[in-house]
Amino acid sequence: MSPLPDDIARALGYPYPRPAGSFLFSGGAAQALPPETDFGGRIPVLACGSNGSPVQLLRKFGTSPDYRIPVTAAKLYDICCSYSAHFSGYGSVAAALHPAPGAVTHVHITWLNERELMRMHETEAIGQNYRFVRMEGVGLHCAEHGAIDTVHAYLSLRGSLLLDGRPVALGGIDCSGAPFPVLDQQAIQSRIRDTFAPGMDLHDFIRQNITDAKLRAERTNRLARHAQVFDHPGITTLLDQAI
């Protein structure tokens, strides 16, 4: 089988591979997390989609050794990672959070200093697809720190994509106990393509979303008409406009 073109591989690879455990992202790669890692002054940000992957962190932060980002494994309770009702600029159907009582989701937390957080903000389409929030009272257990009551996150402004009235759990993020179907990126793209452009080659459909911003926005708006925005009593919005 021929390898996929780079743009299609990037779109269909979401949310990208990641280590099962904690790691240090530095110099463009995942390294063992040093036991003496200093988390002081760092802001814990939940990675519910691709931000827990070294592949995506490389795209966002490059290979500079100046970035040394601790990324810790964690278990998130009663919330799952679903598909957001929008297409990213690189063609993927991105991630959202969705209530899922009884679910246990294996996520990561990026621990960012102020400079790293500003860079992350620049990559998250804040005000268009996401808002940056603080969440208190969440069930979250970090492999390095134990129970964490407060964490930050990027929440989808579009909400969770609904298929047949139900959210779809994000394939590639390990989750148990969520009463929702699980689809990988190719499967969710195919389902949407079948609705929006029946019979179109899937790669052509994805490439349209990458190259035609107007069409991508129109399709995103169609998805968002049937979506459910995540709500939680402990949410405080910190940033909902582009910086």
Side-chain angles (χ1 to χ4, degrees):
M1 182 179 295
S2 300
L4 294 175
D6 288 347
D7 57 345
I8 302 301
R10 180 180 181 186
L12 290 180
Y14 189 96
Y16 314 113
R18 76 277 319 281
S22 303
F23 61 94
L24 177 72
F25 177 81
S26 180
Q31 305 175 13
L33 184 69
E36 70 278 8
T37 296
D38 182 8
F39 290 86
R42 290 187 170 271
I43 301 164
V45 182
L46 190 64
C48 72
S50 63
N51 287 340
S53 169
V55 172
Q56 190 74 315
L57 293 174
L58 172 61
R59 294 190 181 107
K60 296 187 175 193
F61 293 95
T63 59
S64 171
D66 293 339
Y67 293 117
R68 292 179 58 81
I69 302 173
V71 183
T72 59
K75 293 181 180 179
L76 179 64
Y77 296 93
D78 300 320
I79 297 172
C80 75
C81 300
S82 67
Y83 283 103
S84 176
H86 80 271
F87 295 99
S88 70
Y90 49 90
S92 299
V93 184
L97 294 177
H98 196 87
V104 180
T105 306
H106 294 262
V107 295
H108 284 82
I109 301 169
T110 56
W111 295 80
L112 306 175
N113 61 29
E114 290 291 345
R115 177 180 175 227
E116 293 158 353
L117 182 62
M118 289 299 293
R119 171 57 190 153
M120 189 68 87
H121 284 344
E122 292 171 355
T123 71
E124 286 296 325
I126 293 175
Q128 178 181 359
N129 292 324
Y130 288 101
R131 59 182 170 131
F132 182 66
V133 306
R134 181 176 64 248
M135 294 199 304
E136 299 175 270
V138 295
L140 187 63
H141 190 277
C142 173
E144 309 301 324
H145 301 281
I148 295 178
D149 182 70
T150 300
V151 71
H152 298 74
Y154 295 97
L155 296 186
S156 173
L157 292 169
R158 311 287 184 172
S160 293
L161 167 68
L162 302 182
L163 290 182
D164 303 320
R166 304 174 69 198
V168 180
L170 186 67
I173 303 291
D174 185 22
C175 177
S176 61
F180 309 128
V182 181
L183 295 178
D184 64 14
Q185 185 70 211
Q186 178 153 331
I188 195 75
Q189 293 268 7
S190 296
R191 285 288 303 273
I192 298 170
R193 183 274 318 273
D194 290 346
T195 299
F196 288 3
M200 179 179 284
D201 178 81
L202 182 61
H203 293 183
D204 291 341
F205 177 77
I206 293 170
R207 193 165 281 120
Q208 282 184 340
N209 290 327
I210 296 171
T211 60
D212 190 332
K214 181 179 179 181
L215 181 58
R216 180 172 69 246
E218 291 173 354
R219 288 173 172 170
T220 287
N221 288 337
R222 286 182 65 184
L223 290 178
R225 291 175 198 158
H226 306 284
Q228 183 175 338
V229 175
F230 178 74
D231 193 19
H232 186 280
I235 291 175
T236 301
T237 296
L238 303 179
L239 186 63
D240 60 4
Q241 299 293 328
I243 58 175

